Coordinates of all heavy atoms in Angstrom, one line a residue:
T209 N -11.7 2.4 -28.9 CA -10.4 1.6 -28.6 C -10.7 0.6 -27.5 O -11.6 0.8 -26.7 CB -9.3 2.6 -28.2 OG1 -9.8 3.3 -27.0 CG2 -9.0 3.6 -29.3
M210 N -10.0 -0.5 -27.6 CA -10.1 -1.5 -26.6 C -8.8 -1.7 -25.9 O -7.7 -1.4 -26.4 CB -10.5 -2.9 -27.3 CG -11.8 -2.8 -28.1 SD -12.3 -4.3 -28.8 CE -12.6 -5.2 -27.3
V211 N -8.9 -2.3 -24.7 CA -7.7 -2.5 -23.9 C -6.8 -3.6 -24.6 O -7.4 -4.6 -25.0 CB -8.1 -3.0 -22.5 CG1 -6.9 -3.3 -21.7 CG2 -8.9 -2.0 -21.8
L212 N -5.5 -3.3 -24.7 CA -4.6 -4.2 -25.4 C -3.8 -5.1 -24.4 O -3.3 -4.6 -23.4 CB -3.6 -3.4 -26.2 CG -4.2 -2.5 -27.3 CD1 -3.1 -1.7 -27.9 CD2 -4.9 -3.3 -28.3
A213 N -3.8 -6.4 -24.7 CA -2.8 -7.3 -24.1 C -2.5 -7.0 -22.7 O -1.4 -6.6 -22.3 CB -1.5 -7.3 -24.9
T214 N -3.5 -7.2 -21.7 CA -3.1 -7.0 -20.3 C -2.4 -8.2 -19.8 O -2.6 -9.4 -20.2 CB -4.4 -6.8 -19.5 OG1 -5.3 -7.9 -19.8 CG2 -5.1 -5.5 -19.9
I215 N -1.5 -8.0 -18.9 CA -0.6 -9.0 -18.4 C -0.7 -9.2 -16.9 O -0.8 -8.3 -16.2 CB 0.9 -8.6 -18.8 CG1 1.0 -8.3 -20.2 CG2 1.9 -9.8 -18.4 CD1 0.7 -9.5 -21.1
G216 N -0.7 -10.4 -16.5 CA -0.7 -10.7 -15.0 C 0.4 -11.7 -14.7 O 0.7 -12.6 -15.5
G217 N 0.9 -11.5 -13.5 CA 2.0 -12.5 -13.0 C 3.4 -12.0 -13.3 O 3.6 -11.2 -14.2
A218 N 4.3 -12.5 -12.6 CA 5.7 -12.2 -12.8 C 6.2 -13.0 -14.0 O 5.8 -14.2 -14.1 CB 6.5 -12.6 -11.6
V219 N 7.0 -12.4 -14.8 CA 7.4 -13.0 -16.1 C 8.8 -13.1 -16.3 O 9.3 -13.6 -17.4 CB 6.7 -12.3 -17.3 CG1 5.3 -12.4 -17.2 CG2 7.2 -10.8 -17.3
T220 N 9.6 -12.6 -15.4 CA 11.0 -12.6 -15.7 C 11.8 -13.1 -14.5 O 11.6 -14.2 -14.0 CB 11.5 -11.2 -16.0 OG1 11.0 -10.3 -15.1 CG2 11.0 -10.8 -17.4
G221 N 12.8 -12.3 -14.1 CA 13.8 -12.8 -13.1 C 13.2 -13.2 -11.8 O 13.8 -14.2 -11.2
K222 N 12.2 -12.6 -11.3 CA 11.6 -13.0 -10.0 C 11.1 -14.4 -10.0 O 11.4 -15.2 -9.1 CB 10.5 -12.0 -9.6 CG 9.8 -12.4 -8.3 CD 10.7 -12.3 -7.1 CE 10.0 -12.6 -5.8 NZ 10.9 -12.6 -4.6
G223 N 10.4 -14.7 -11.1 CA 9.9 -16.1 -11.2 C 11.0 -17.1 -11.3 O 11.0 -18.2 -10.8
R224 N 12.1 -16.7 -12.0 CA 13.2 -17.6 -12.2 C 13.9 -17.9 -10.8 O 14.2 -19.0 -10.5 CB 14.2 -17.0 -13.1 CG 15.5 -17.8 -13.3 CD 16.4 -17.1 -14.3 NE 17.7 -17.8 -14.4 CZ 18.7 -17.3 -15.1 NH1 18.6 -16.2 -15.7 NH2 19.8 -18.0 -15.2
A225 N 14.1 -16.8 -10.0 CA 14.7 -17.0 -8.7 C 13.8 -17.9 -7.8 O 14.3 -18.7 -7.1 CB 15.0 -15.7 -8.1
Q226 N 12.5 -17.6 -7.9 CA 11.6 -18.4 -7.0 C 11.6 -19.9 -7.4 O 11.5 -20.8 -6.6 CB 10.2 -17.8 -7.1 CG 9.2 -18.4 -6.1 CD 9.6 -18.3 -4.7 OE1 9.8 -17.1 -4.2 NE2 9.8 -19.3 -3.9
R227 N 11.6 -20.1 -8.7 CA 11.6 -21.5 -9.2 C 12.9 -22.2 -8.7 O 12.9 -23.4 -8.4 CB 11.5 -21.6 -10.7 CG 10.1 -21.3 -11.2 CD 10.0 -21.7 -12.7 NE 11.0 -21.0 -13.5 CZ 10.7 -19.8 -14.1 NH1 9.5 -19.2 -13.9 NH2 11.6 -19.2 -14.8
A228 N 14.0 -21.5 -8.8 CA 15.3 -22.1 -8.3 C 15.2 -22.5 -6.9 O 15.7 -23.5 -6.4 CB 16.4 -21.2 -8.6
A229 N 14.6 -21.6 -6.0 CA 14.5 -21.8 -4.6 C 13.6 -23.0 -4.4 O 13.9 -23.9 -3.5 CB 14.0 -20.6 -3.9
D230 N 12.5 -23.1 -5.1 CA 11.5 -24.2 -4.9 C 12.2 -25.5 -5.3 O 12.1 -26.5 -4.5 CB 10.3 -24.0 -5.8 CG 9.4 -22.8 -5.4 OD1 9.6 -22.4 -4.2 OD2 8.7 -22.3 -6.2
L231 N 12.9 -25.5 -6.4 CA 13.5 -26.8 -6.8 C 14.6 -27.2 -5.9 O 14.8 -28.4 -5.7 CB 14.0 -26.6 -8.3 CG 12.9 -26.5 -9.3 CD1 13.5 -26.2 -10.7 CD2 12.0 -27.8 -9.4
A232 N 15.4 -26.3 -5.4 CA 16.5 -26.6 -4.5 C 15.9 -27.3 -3.2 O 16.4 -28.3 -2.7 CB 17.3 -25.4 -4.2
A233 N 14.8 -26.7 -2.6 CA 14.2 -27.2 -1.4 C 13.6 -28.6 -1.7 O 13.8 -29.5 -0.9 CB 13.2 -26.3 -0.9
I234 N 12.9 -28.7 -2.8 CA 12.3 -30.0 -3.1 C 13.4 -31.1 -3.4 O 13.2 -32.3 -2.9 CB 11.4 -29.9 -4.4 CG1 10.2 -29.0 -4.0 CG2 11.0 -31.2 -4.9 CD1 9.4 -28.7 -5.2
S235 N 14.5 -30.8 -4.0 CA 15.5 -31.7 -4.3 C 16.2 -32.2 -3.0 O 16.5 -33.4 -2.8 CB 16.6 -31.1 -5.2 OG 16.0 -30.8 -6.5
S236 N 16.3 -31.2 -2.0 CA 16.9 -31.6 -0.8 C 16.0 -32.6 0.0 O 16.5 -33.6 0.5 CB 17.2 -30.3 0.1 OG 18.2 -29.5 -0.5
V237 N 14.7 -32.3 0.1 CA 13.9 -33.2 0.9 C 13.6 -34.5 0.2 O 13.4 -35.5 0.8 CB 12.5 -32.5 1.2 CG1 12.7 -31.2 2.0 CG2 11.7 -32.2 -0.1
R238 N 13.7 -34.5 -1.1 CA 13.6 -35.8 -1.8 C 14.8 -36.7 -1.5 O 14.7 -37.9 -1.2 CB 13.6 -35.6 -3.3 CG 13.5 -36.9 -4.2 CD 13.4 -36.6 -5.6 NE 12.2 -35.8 -5.9 CZ 11.9 -35.3 -7.1 NH1 12.8 -35.4 -8.1 NH2 10.8 -34.6 -7.3
S239 N 16.0 -36.1 -1.4 CA 17.2 -36.8 -1.0 C 17.0 -37.3 0.5 O 17.4 -38.5 0.8 CB 18.5 -36.0 -1.1 OG 19.6 -36.6 -0.5
M240 N 16.5 -36.5 1.3 CA 16.3 -36.8 2.7 C 15.3 -38.0 2.9 O 15.5 -38.9 3.7 CB 15.8 -35.6 3.5 CG 16.8 -34.5 3.6 SD 16.2 -32.9 4.1 CE 16.1 -33.2 5.9
R241 N 14.2 -37.9 2.1 CA 13.2 -39.0 2.1 C 13.8 -40.3 1.7 O 13.6 -41.4 2.3 CB 12.0 -38.6 1.3 CG 10.9 -39.7 1.3 CD 9.8 -39.3 0.4 NE 8.6 -40.2 0.5 CZ 8.5 -41.4 -0.1 NH1 9.5 -41.8 -0.8 NH2 7.5 -42.1 0.1
D242 N 14.6 -40.3 0.6 CA 15.2 -41.5 0.1 C 16.2 -42.1 1.1 O 16.4 -43.3 1.1 CB 15.8 -41.2 -1.3 CG 14.8 -40.9 -2.4 OD1 13.7 -41.2 -2.2 OD2 15.2 -40.3 -3.4
D243 N 16.9 -41.2 1.8 CA 18.0 -41.7 2.7 C 17.5 -41.9 4.1 O 18.3 -42.4 5.0 CB 19.1 -40.7 2.7 CG 19.9 -40.6 1.4 OD1 19.8 -41.6 0.7 OD2 20.6 -39.6 1.2
A244 N 16.2 -41.6 4.4 CA 15.8 -41.8 5.8 C 15.9 -43.2 6.3 O 16.3 -43.4 7.5 CB 14.3 -41.3 5.9
P245 N 15.5 -44.2 5.5 CA 15.7 -45.6 6.1 C 17.2 -45.9 6.4 O 17.4 -46.6 7.4 CB 15.2 -46.5 4.9 CG 14.3 -45.6 4.2 CD 14.8 -44.2 4.2
R246 N 18.1 -45.4 5.7 CA 19.5 -45.6 6.0 C 20.0 -44.9 7.2 O 20.8 -45.3 8.0 CB 20.4 -45.2 4.8 CG 20.1 -46.0 3.5 CD 21.1 -45.6 2.4 NE 22.5 -45.9 2.9 CZ 23.6 -45.5 2.2 NH1 23.4 -44.9 1.0 NH2 24.8 -45.8 2.6
L247 N 19.4 -43.7 7.5 CA 19.7 -42.9 8.7 C 19.2 -43.7 9.9 O 19.9 -43.7 11.0 CB 19.1 -41.5 8.6 CG 19.2 -40.7 9.9 CD1 20.7 -40.3 10.2 CD2 18.4 -39.4 9.8
L248 N 18.0 -44.3 9.8 CA 17.4 -45.0 11.0 C 17.9 -46.4 11.1 O 17.6 -47.0 12.2 CB 15.9 -44.9 10.8 CG 15.2 -43.5 10.8 CD1 13.8 -43.6 10.4 CD2 15.4 -42.9 12.1

């Protein structure tokens, strides 16, 4: 017999929550970078 279909990495809700946090932080700093000349 051989080892079947080993899996690595998070595949469900944890990855979804982490992606949402990443995208929220990136979207915020993108807005800050675009608006920085107006703030200054």
Side-chain angles (χ1 to χ4, degrees):
T209 59
M210 300 186 67
V211 177
L212 301 175
T214 55
I215 305 300
V219 293
T220 48
K222 176 63 176 177
R224 179 181 173 184
Q226 187 61 57
R227 285 194 300 272
D230 293 341
L231 291 174
I234 292 172
S235 297
S236 293
V237 299
R238 181 177 297 172
S239 172
M240 297 166 78
R241 183 182 185 278
D242 294 341
D243 290 341
R246 297 186 60 188
L247 174 67
L248 297 174

